[in-house]
């Protein structure tokens, strides 16, 4: 069963890599730049695929266009400008940092900071609570639940976790 | 007490966020070409391949450029309205036949009526790329200077015409 799955996945992988592989550039450096660009360009027809992955008509056309531009000596930046000038920043998998995209770029950091703040506040509150042992079941934890809501919540979580184990 | 409200408020915020998200069209990509001049092109016409249509032909009066193809279901859907619109509004509608079979395209216009002043043939889709086309039907509103005022994705309907096109046409006429 596992073997069949592996064979199946192997076959799928070869078809995915098979798009547009038959006409390589003569120059390996050009081929590498081509590969890099088409793997960073979004296909607007099937929006979660790159134009390297997609066989939609538009993706084929754009690959052909990028290929022609590379062959005629265009720089990577010229090709990116060509694409963005027609389809907007959305065509890039890495949109540039600007007024309309800063929130997109900042959101991972913002969420991380929110998470750290929650952890910090929780730890500070907890360190202010008196530590006292009560009952055997909490001995390994070396602190006890206080009547605060958070601790009650934690108590249920710990019990649930222990029961599952 | 108020700390019990936090999850409720968070949940309400999440619901509002997703409710808004559901109403947005994820396939809609704003075109960077709005407010810019139409791309230069010279293409053979559908009626006669020896005659060409160029971007200069679109200058001089307000016009529509409609990207269509016989393989496009949405184009079939809007075609009746385009025929009606061409007759009523008197606005010139230019067609851009995108990556299509020209014989099928001619038959389509014979059978369903021809709303276009001229249809240009973009057989390999090269000019469509310059127009940032990614899904037919697309309809561009082009002013007399050849500036793209607006682009509509998906089939044109009377409602879309009223809501999106008429105010912009009125504004362009007022200037």
């Amino acid at each position: 069963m596992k073997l069949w799955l592996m064979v199946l996945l192997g076959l799928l992988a070869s078809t995915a890599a098979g798009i547009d592989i038959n006409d390589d550039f003569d120059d390996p450096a050009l081929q590498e730049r081509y590969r890099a660009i088409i793997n960073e360009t979004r296909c607007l027809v099937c929006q979660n695929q790159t134009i390297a992955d997609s066989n939609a008509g538009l993706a084929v056309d754009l690959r052909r266009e990028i290929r022609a531009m590379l062959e005629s000596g265009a720089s990577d930046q010229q090709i990116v400008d060509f694409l963005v000038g027609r389809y907007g920043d959305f065509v890039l998998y890495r949109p540039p940092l600007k007024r309309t995209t800063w929130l997109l770029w900042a959101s991972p950091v913002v969420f991380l900071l929110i998470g750290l703040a929650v952890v910090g506040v929780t730890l500070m509150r907890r360190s202010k609570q008196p530590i006292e042992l009560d009952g055997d079941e909490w001995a390994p934890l070396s602190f006890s639940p206080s009547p605060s809501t958070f601790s009650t919540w934690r108590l249920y979580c710990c019990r649930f976790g222990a029961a599952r184990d | 007490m108020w700390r019990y409200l936090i999850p409720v408020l968070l949940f309400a915020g999440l619901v509002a966020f997703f409710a808004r998200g559901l109403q947005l069209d994820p396939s809609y990509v704003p075109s960077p070409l709005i407010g810019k001049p139409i791309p230069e092109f010279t293409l053979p016409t559908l009626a006669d391949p020896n005659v060409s249509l160029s971007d200069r032909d679109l200058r001089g009066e307000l016009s529509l450029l409609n990207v269509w193809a016989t393989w496009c279901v949405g184009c079939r859907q809007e075609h009746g309205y385009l025929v009606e619109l061409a007759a009523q509004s008197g606005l010139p509608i230019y067609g851009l036949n995108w990556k299509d079979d020209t014989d099928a395209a001619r038959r389509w216009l014979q059978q369903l009526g021809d709303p276009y002043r001229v249809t240009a043939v973009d057989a390999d889709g090269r000019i469509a790329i310059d127009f940032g086309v990614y899904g037919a039907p697309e309809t561009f509103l082009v002013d007399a200077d050849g500036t793209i005022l607006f682009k509509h994705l998906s089939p044109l309907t009377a409602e879309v015409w009223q809501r999106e096109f008429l105010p912009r046409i009125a504004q362009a006429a007022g200037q």
Side-chain angles (χ1 to χ4, degrees):
Chain A
M1 188 59 207
K2 252 184 187 165
L3 182 74
W4 279 111
L5 194 65
M6 279 165 73
V7 170
L8 188 70
L9 286 174
L11 284 173
L12 286 174
S14 64
T15 53
I19 293 174
D20 199 36
I21 209 149
N22 292 326
D23 46 356
D24 279 357
F25 286 87
D26 293 332
D27 180 358
L30 223 51
Q31 179 68 28
E32 193 42 52
R33 282 174 57 205
Y34 173 70
R35 243 181 39 76
I37 293 171
I38 63 172
N39 278 299
E40 289 276 316
T41 306
R42 187 191 303 275
C43 172
L44 284 100
V45 181
C46 27
Q47 297 185 345
N48 289 325
Q49 277 189 308
T50 64
I51 60 167
D53 294 332
S54 172
N55 245 352
L58 182 67
V60 176
D61 291 354
L62 285 176
R63 284 203 302 264
R64 185 192 59 211
E65 210 50 44
I66 291 169
R67 179 176 287 276
M69 285 181 82
L70 280 170
E71 272 164 353
S72 67
S75 72
D76 290 1
Q77 191 55 49
Q78 279 172 321
I79 294 172
V80 168
D81 291 345
F82 173 88
L83 293 168
V84 170
R86 283 155 180 77
Y87 294 102
D89 290 332
F90 188 69
V91 78
L92 304 175
Y93 264 96
R94 284 176 227 252
L97 186 59
K98 54 161 108 166
R99 207 155 43 86
T100 48
T101 58
W102 70 266
L103 194 61
L104 180 71
W105 280 102
S107 55
V109 182
V110 169
F111 285 118
L112 182 70
L113 290 178
I114 292 174
L116 287 175
V118 169
V119 170
V121 167
T122 309
L123 289 179
M124 263 162 55
R125 278 199 189 156
R126 192 188 284 184
S127 68
K128 284 182 189 146
Q129 285 161 10
I131 295 172
E132 53 191 65
L133 287 176
D134 89 337
D136 290 342
E137 62 178 309
W138 296 103
L141 290 171
S142 77
F143 53 79
S144 77
S146 79
S148 83
T149 340
F150 175 75
S151 301
T152 316
W153 172 77
R154 199 192 63 209
L155 177 116
Y156 285 118
C157 287
C158 294
R159 281 212 174 130
F160 181 61
R164 265 201 317 194
D165 290 337
Chain B
M1 179 56 206
W2 63 272
R3 69 169 55 196
Y4 292 102
L5 280 173
I6 294 176
V8 177
L9 289 176
L10 281 177
F11 180 72
L14 213 58
V15 167
F17 189 75
F18 286 133
R20 179 82 190 101
L22 279 175
Q23 285 160 23
L24 297 172
D25 178 6
S27 67
Y28 172 74
V29 180
S31 174
L33 292 164
I34 308 298
K36 302 228 170 84
I38 49 169
E40 286 177 22
F41 69 90
T42 305
L43 287 171
T45 60
L46 186 65
D48 182 357
N50 297 316
V51 179
S52 64
L53 179 79
S54 86
D55 54 293
R56 285 181 303 280
D57 298 324
L58 268 70
R59 289 164 204 252
E61 63 182 314
L62 194 83
S63 62
L64 294 177
L65 179 76
N66 178 250
V67 182
W68 66 282
T70 56
W71 46 262
C72 146
V73 181
C75 303
R76 179 67 187 79
Q77 211 178 321
E78 72 173 5
H79 198 83
Y81 182 68
L82 283 181
V83 173
E84 199 182 305
L85 185 69
Q88 276 175 6
S89 70
L91 214 63
I93 306 177
Y94 293 93
L96 186 70
N97 187 231
W98 185 37
K99 290 169 72 98
D100 202 0
D101 178 74
T102 43
D103 289 332
R106 283 192 204 102
R107 271 201 305 279
W108 163 295
L109 294 183
Q110 273 163 19
Q111 284 167 7
L112 302 172
D114 186 352
Y116 306 109
R117 177 176 280 186
V118 184
T119 296
V121 178
D122 186 20
D124 60 1
R126 178 61 192 81
I127 297 305
I129 290 178
D130 284 347
F131 274 92
V133 170
Y134 64 92
E138 292 190 11
T139 307
F140 293 82
L141 180 64
V142 184
D143 78 0
D145 304 329
T147 306
I148 298 173
L149 297 179
F150 178 65
K151 161 170 144 168
H152 176 70
L153 291 145
S154 78
L156 200 60
T157 59
E159 197 234 326
V160 170
W161 181 254
Q162 295 258 328
R163 192 184 63 222
E164 306 286 355
F165 283 84
L166 284 182
R168 289 178 170 92
I169 291 170
Q171 202 189 354
Q175 278 169 358

